[in-house]
Amino acid sequence: MQQHNVLILDFGSQYTQLIARRVRELNIYCEIHPFNKPPKNLVDFKAVILSGSPNSVRSEAVLHPDLSEIRGKKPLLAVCYGAQYLAHFSGGKVAPSNTREYGRANLSYIKNEEIFFENISEGSQVWMSHSDTIKELPTNAVLLASTKDVENAAYKIAGEDTFAIQFHPEVYHSTDGKQLLENFLVKIAHVAQTWTPDSFVESTVKSIQDKVGNDKVVLGLSGGVDSTVAAVLLHKAIGKNLYCIFVNNGLLRKNEFESVLTQYEGMGLNVKGVDASERFLTALAGVSDPEKKRKAIGNSFIEVFDDEANQIKGVKWLAQGTIYPDVIESVSATGGPSATIKSHHNVGGLPDFMKLKIVEPLRMIFKDEVRRVGASMGIDKDLLGRHPFPGPGLAIRILGDVTLEKVRILQEVDAVFINGLREHGLYDKVWQAGAILLPVNSVGVMGDERTYEKVVALRAVESTDGMTADWVNLPYDFLQKTSNNIINKVKGVNRVVYDISSKPPATIEWE
């Protein structure tokens, strides 16, 4: 994989991770690094992309990247803030826009003879998102494209493979964005398109073998896609030295502990089931704050794994199914300028008392890539098609404190909803679905008597990687039948609502 990588320097843009996904879709490996902490050795990178940023190049807090080993030496694509940075500090002029340049625009002028715009026609829709604009191009720059309101929408530096654009090719609304990235990376930078599931498996297995050697590894299985794919990867690398533990934290779906253990039979994995539900529920007693719940669950997982690891002689590593969105949302893209959204129970390292080192084979790939990797290794498609389920389980779908009775109610509601999706052929049309128990009671009438019982919200979204998501327009007759089934079959619930919020601005989970 070396010599065929793309480096993305992150200036804190909300779209930086989308750049990475689009590059990966071209079967090209890329890495995101903070603009102020680039890799020390740039030999392995064939091209560099500068991301956008919420900052202004005109502010006192301007973000200054060191481009001395990049500019003019490697193909460079500067996006939005990157384009403005090159202009502002290389003889051009950047000023506030007369009108806010945000949303859809169309390329009204394109220098078609440029490879950069090959197979892209005038009128192509692009997405703008900036309040500053480039008034004058930098020294030795050549204009490549304009829009109605943005004269300097794209330019190149003469004598260099340096290109700059004011729009965002990585977002869905830029209709030819993928083509533009392909033109730059493949036709100009000559980056090999070798990033495939098979190549990932091959390189990751070797990396695990080099890192772990003959040591023993303990892995926490959840029954979901991520931990299962991580387990099969590790098994391919170290075989019998992998010890898998599936923990019942008391917050799983109805009957999930038993069904998951059955699911792993015949996969060749060494799996041990541990019922620690009482331990987790005790740790959550009286805790309502969502971040504190996540931390309590994370600490309890660590304690359970520590107890189990101590029973395995010579174990030195703890493996986790952490994927890229977990890392991004917990501590920012890669420790760069962007903000934390929420913590994840499996991100952030281990306490000092636990003497295990961490191995995370999926840490740098997205959910859709995880599924493709799993398919390439022959994992059952029904397992790979399983909806994502949060690591903290139903604890973060119970708003407020967690009790055994609330868990029972939500498990029953969730079972009606998920089973209904399967029965009506809707399960595979939804990326993730679940129920949320709200911290309010509702007045109702059942059997001519007044009730004052719980309200539940149903949530179903479509997505590819969990970074963005839209609510699913489930059929009204299905929602009606599901609501009736929940209210009739689940004691303690008398009202059902449906969540029609997208991500952003909401998140997929409520906590």
Side-chain angles (χ1 to χ4, degrees):
M1 300 302 293
Q2 291 187 350
Q3 303 294 329
H4 300 295
N5 299 343
V6 173
L7 170 63
I8 301 171
L9 290 181
D10 178 20
F11 292 88
S13 169
Q14 61 178 316
Y15 299 135
T16 302
Q17 290 76 39
L18 287 180
I19 299 175
R21 287 209 63 251
R22 296 293 175 260
V23 173
R24 299 272 184 92
E25 287 173 2
L26 293 170
N27 293 333
I28 294 173
Y29 180 72
C30 61
E31 294 179 6
I32 299 175
H33 289 262
F35 78 96
N36 54 355
K37 295 180 182 178
K40 292 181 180 179
N41 187 358
L42 296 176
V43 174
D44 293 342
F45 297 95
K46 290 208 67 175
V48 179
I49 298 176
L50 307 183
S51 83
S53 175
N55 294 65
S56 169
V57 297
R58 300 178 298 103
S59 70
E60 293 183 1
V62 61
L63 309 179
H64 273 293
D66 180 5
L67 302 179
S68 59
E69 295 301 315
I70 297 172
R71 174 97 184 258
K73 299 178 180 179
K74 292 180 180 292
L76 174 65
L77 174 61
V79 177
C80 197
Y81 178 90
Q84 294 172 4
Y85 180 88
L86 292 183
H88 187 68
F89 291 101
S90 301
K93 181 180 178 182
V94 176
S97 304
N98 294 328
T99 58
R100 191 171 179 226
E101 295 169 349
Y102 184 87
R104 295 174 177 85
N106 298 92
L107 297 176
S108 57
Y109 162 80
I110 295 177
K111 199 164 185 178
N112 289 311
E113 65 270 24
E114 281 290 334
I115 295 176
F116 189 65
F117 279 107
E118 196 170 280
N119 297 321
I120 300 175
S121 304
E122 281 195 24
S124 178
Q125 180 178 284
V126 295
W127 184 263
M128 296 286 186
S129 181
H130 54 90
S131 56
D132 288 344
T133 194
I134 299 171
K135 295 293 187 181
E136 297 178 12
L137 293 176
T139 304
N140 296 326
V142 178
L143 180 65
L144 297 183
S146 304
T147 68
K148 179 181 177 182
D149 297 317
V150 181
E151 179 182 0
N152 300 312
Y155 65 87
K156 67 173 289 187
I157 304 297
E160 301 178 16
D161 282 333
T162 297
F163 297 80
I165 51 179
Q166 284 257 74
F167 54 89
H168 289 270
E170 67 273 21
V171 302
Y172 171 80
H173 301 91
S174 290
T175 53
D176 292 313
K178 186 176 179 180
Q179 179 66 59
L180 185 141
L181 289 171
E182 182 177 356
N183 290 345
F184 171 71
L185 294 172
V186 178
K187 298 176 182 178
I188 294 172
H190 304 294
V191 182
Q193 295 174 280
T194 56
W195 173 248
T196 63
D198 288 342
S199 69
F200 174 80
V201 171
E202 181 182 350
S203 62
T204 302
V205 166
K206 184 178 185 304
S207 176
I208 293 170
Q209 291 170 338
D210 292 342
K211 185 175 186 176
V212 173
N214 199 38
D215 293 345
K216 293 179 180 178
V217 178
V218 60
L219 166 69
L221 281 174
S222 69
V225 177
D226 303 334
S227 65
T228 300
V229 173
V232 175
L233 267 172
L234 285 156
H235 183 71
K236 286 176 72 73
I238 61 174
K240 60 182 178 58
N241 280 349
L242 174 65
Y243 295 78
C244 299
I245 299 171
F246 176 49
V247 177
N248 181 10
N249 59 7
L251 304 164
L252 302 174
R253 284 180 156 138
K254 184 178 179 180
N255 300 324
E256 190 169 25
F257 185 55
E258 296 79 12
S259 64
V260 167
L261 288 175
T262 301
Q263 166 186 285
Y264 285 121
E265 292 177 1
M267 291 184 67
L269 300 175
N270 177 21
V271 183
K272 177 182 179 182
V274 179
D275 189 352
S277 53
E278 185 176 342
R279 185 177 201 161
F280 281 83
L281 290 173
T282 299
L284 287 168
V287 180
S288 297
D289 180 83
E291 282 298 288
K292 290 181 179 178
K293 284 198 279 190
R294 288 177 178 272
K295 295 298 184 185
I297 291 167
N299 291 336
S300 297
F301 266 116
I302 287 172
E303 290 172 1
V304 171
F305 286 132
D306 191 44
D307 290 346
E308 294 301 320
N310 285 332
Q311 298 179 36
I312 304 171
K313 186 177 180 181
V315 66
K316 295 182 179 179
W317 297 84
L318 170 65
Q320 298 187 139
T322 308
I323 63 172
Y324 209 8
D326 297 341
V327 177
I328 293 164
E329 292 190 338
S330 292
V331 291
S332 87
T334 51
S338 51
T340 298
I341 297 173
K342 61 188 176 184
S343 65
H344 287 259
H345 78 281
N346 58 339
V347 177
L350 298 173
D352 291 339
F353 74 81
M354 197 170 184
K355 304 305 179 183
L356 298 180
K357 294 174 284 187
I358 292 180
V359 56
E360 296 171 317
L362 309 178
R363 186 180 179 87
M364 293 299 291
I365 63 176
F366 294 94
K367 176 70 76 173
D368 53 327
E369 293 178 306
V370 174
R371 287 196 168 101
R372 289 197 293 271
V373 167
S376 76
M377 295 190 295
I379 297 176
D380 186 84
K381 64 183 174 93
D382 289 335
L383 195 157
L384 292 176
R386 186 183 180 204
H387 290 180
F389 187 67
L394 298 180
I396 59 168
R397 293 182 178 176
I398 297 172
L399 306 194
D401 66 320
V402 179
T403 66
L404 190 60
E405 174 62 9
K406 289 180 180 179
V407 172
R408 180 200 66 79
I409 291 174
L410 192 55
Q411 283 179 331
E412 296 292 340
V413 171
D414 180 85
V416 172
F417 185 30
I418 298 300
N419 290 338
L421 288 172
R422 293 186 188 278
E423 291 168 4
H424 286 77
L426 296 169
Y427 186 85
D428 291 334
K429 297 179 181 179
V430 172
W431 191 77
Q432 183 171 350
I436 299 92
L437 184 64
L438 304 186
V440 294
N441 281 25
S442 165
V443 173
V445 178
M446 300 177 73
D448 294 326
E449 293 185 3
R450 177 185 184 275
T451 62
Y452 191 57
E453 296 180 333
K454 294 295 182 184
V455 180
V456 293
L458 305 183
R459 179 85 157 132
V461 299
E462 53 187 5
S463 181
T464 56
D465 54 24
M467 297 301 299
T468 60
D470 281 327
W471 61 279
V472 177
N473 191 5
L474 294 174
Y476 283 142
D477 58 345
F478 168 77
L479 290 173
Q480 180 185 43
K481 184 175 182 180
T482 301
S483 175
N484 288 340
N485 284 341
I486 290 171
I487 292 171
N488 290 331
K489 295 179 180 179
V490 182
K491 183 178 180 181
V493 176
N494 69 356
R495 191 178 297 269
V496 178
V497 298
Y498 187 54
D499 182 353
I500 57 171
S501 307
S502 296
K503 176 185 180 180
T507 53
I508 295 176
E509 299 294 342
W510 281 41
E511 287 190 345

